[in-house]
C-alpha cells in the first residue's frame, strides 16, 4: 500500500523560537502521518565568515543536541529523524538544503496576525517564493490538533482562473482523500463576470469525477478583495488548512493570505506536482492501482 501523497522527507527549519517549535510539532505530525523522515535544519548567521570557518566541532555537536532535544520534548519516540546545521544566509541555505535532500514539503512558522508589521518574516517569504516543493506555513498560536486518522478535515482551496490553479486543486483534493475531507474551492473575482455560475462550472470541470467519491467538494465564487475574502471564508468554515498557489510577485494575494490566516497555509509549487491518489473502488472502498 502506497502513501496517498509522495512525501518521504519533511524539512523543518528551526531557530528554536516558540514560533519554530510550533512549526516543529506540525512537521512531526506530517512526517508521522506518512512514515516520512523529519529533518530539522538550523542556519547559523556568521557575517564575513568563509565556508568551513566559524563553528568548531564542540559547538556543532552542542547545536545538534539542542535540535534533537527540541524534538524529544514533542515526540521522543520518533526514530525517523535527523538534524543538520549550515552557515550563511538562512533563506539561501534552506532552499539549497531542501533541493539537495530533496524535501517534499518544508514546514515553517510565521508570526502571522500576531505581528502585523512583519507577519511572515523575510526568510519565510524567500522560501515561499523560491521553493521547488510545497511549503506549509504555520501561524503562531495555531495549536497542533491532529487526529490519528489524518491531519486535515476542513480544507479551503483558493483558486483563480489561471491554468496553474489545477495544481493547487490537485494537492487540496489529494490531502482531502486521506480524511474524506470537506474541500471548499474558493474563487474571488475582482472584475465583473457574466455569471458566477459560469465560473463555478469552469472550476467543477477541472475536478476529476472520481474525486467526488473521496471528498465532499463545494465551489464558492464571489466578488471582493481576494486575500480578505479567502481568509474570511476559511475562518467561517473553521478550516484547518488553506491551500493556495505560490506568489507570482512579492506583493501578492498569497503573501496577504499568509499575513492574515489563522490556520496553516500550504503554498503549492508546480515544480513538484502532487499526483492524484489511486482511485477508490466505490463498492468495496479499496484502492485501485
Amino acid at each position: 500500500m502506497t502513501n496517498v501523497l509522495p512525501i518521504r522527507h519533511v524539512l523543518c527549519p528551526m531557530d528554536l523560537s516558540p514560533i519554530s517549535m510550533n512549526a516543529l510539532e506540525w512537521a512531526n505530525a506530517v512526517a508521522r502521518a506518512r512514515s516520512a523522515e523529519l529533518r530539522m535544519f538550523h542556519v547559523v548567521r556568521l557575517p564575513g565568515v568563509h565556508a568551513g570557518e566559524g563553528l568548531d566541532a564542540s559547538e556543532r555537536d552542542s547545536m545538534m543536541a539542542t535540535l534533537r532535544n527540541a524534538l524529544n520534548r514533542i515526540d521522543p519516540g520518533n526514530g525517523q529523524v535527523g538534524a543538520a546545521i549550515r552557515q550563511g544566509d538562512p533563506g539561501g541555505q534552506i532552499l539549497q538544503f531542501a533541493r539537495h535532500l530533496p524535501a517534499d514539503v518544508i514546514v515553517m512558522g510565521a508570526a502571522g496576525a500576531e505581528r502585523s508589521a512583519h507577519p511572515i518574516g523575510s526568510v519565510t517569504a524567500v522560501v515561499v517564493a523560491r521553493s521547488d516543493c510545497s511549503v506549509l506555513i504555520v501561524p503562531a498560536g495555531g495549536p497542533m490538533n491532529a487526529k490519528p486518522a489524518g491531519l486535515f478535515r476542513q480544507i479551503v482551496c483558493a483558486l483563480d482562473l489561471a491554468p496553474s490553479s489545477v495544481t493547487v486543486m490537485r494537492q487540496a483534493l489529494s490531502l482531502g482523500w486521506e480524511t474524506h475531507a470537506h474541500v471548499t474551492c474558493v474563487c474571488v473575482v475582482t472584475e465583473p463576470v457574466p455569471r458566477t455560475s459560469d465560473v463555478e462550472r469552469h472550476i467543477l470541470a477541472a475536478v476529476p469525477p472520481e474525486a467526488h467519491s473521496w471528498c465532499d467538494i463545494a465551489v464558492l465564487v464571489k466578488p471582493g478583495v481576494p486575500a480578505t475574502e479567502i481568509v474570511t471564508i476559511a475562518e467561517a468554515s473553521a478550516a484547518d488548512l488553506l491551500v493556495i498557489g505560490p506568489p507570482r510577485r512579492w506583493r501578492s494575494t498569497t503573501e496577504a493570505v499568509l499575513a492574515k490566516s489563522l490556520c496553516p497555509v500550504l503554498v503549492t509549487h508546480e515544480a513538484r506536482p502532487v499526483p492524484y491518489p489511486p482511485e477508490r473502488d466505490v463498492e468495496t472502498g479499496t484502492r485501485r492501482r
Side-chain angles (χ1 to χ4, degrees), residues 95 99 123-132 135 246-247 249-250 255 267 269:
L95 290 166
R99 289 163 184 154
V123 174
T124 302
V126 168
V127 174
V128 165
R130 296 173 54 197
S131 175
D132 290 341
V135 184
R249 57 187 183 277
W250 284 107
E255 294 285 339
V267 182
H269 282 269

Side-chain angles (χ1 to χ4, degrees), residues 19-108:
I19 290 175
S20 68
M21 287 296 295
N22 188 41
L24 178 62
E25 193 170 356
W26 280 89
N28 181 65
V30 171
R32 281 287 206 176
R34 296 165 183 81
S35 299
E37 180 187 351
L38 171 61
R39 188 69 61 92
M40 296 172 290
F41 187 66
H42 180 68
V43 180
V44 179
R45 290 182 185 263
L46 294 173
V49 177
H50 298 289
E53 299 179 5
L55 291 177
D56 60 30
S58 62
E59 290 173 320
R60 182 176 293 275
D61 290 345
S62 177
M63 286 186 179
M64 292 286 280
T66 300
L67 291 175
R68 291 193 175 97
N69 288 336
L71 181 63
N72 284 337
R73 294 199 295 271
I74 295 172
D75 184 2
N78 190 350
Q80 297 190 74
V81 62
I85 297 170
R86 296 291 186 272
Q87 302 170 161
D89 170 67
Q93 290 294 327
I94 291 168
L95 290 166
Q96 182 179 339
F97 189 82
R99 289 163 184 154
H100 175 74
L101 194 57
D104 297 292
V105 63
I106 302 172
V107 183
M108 300 183 71

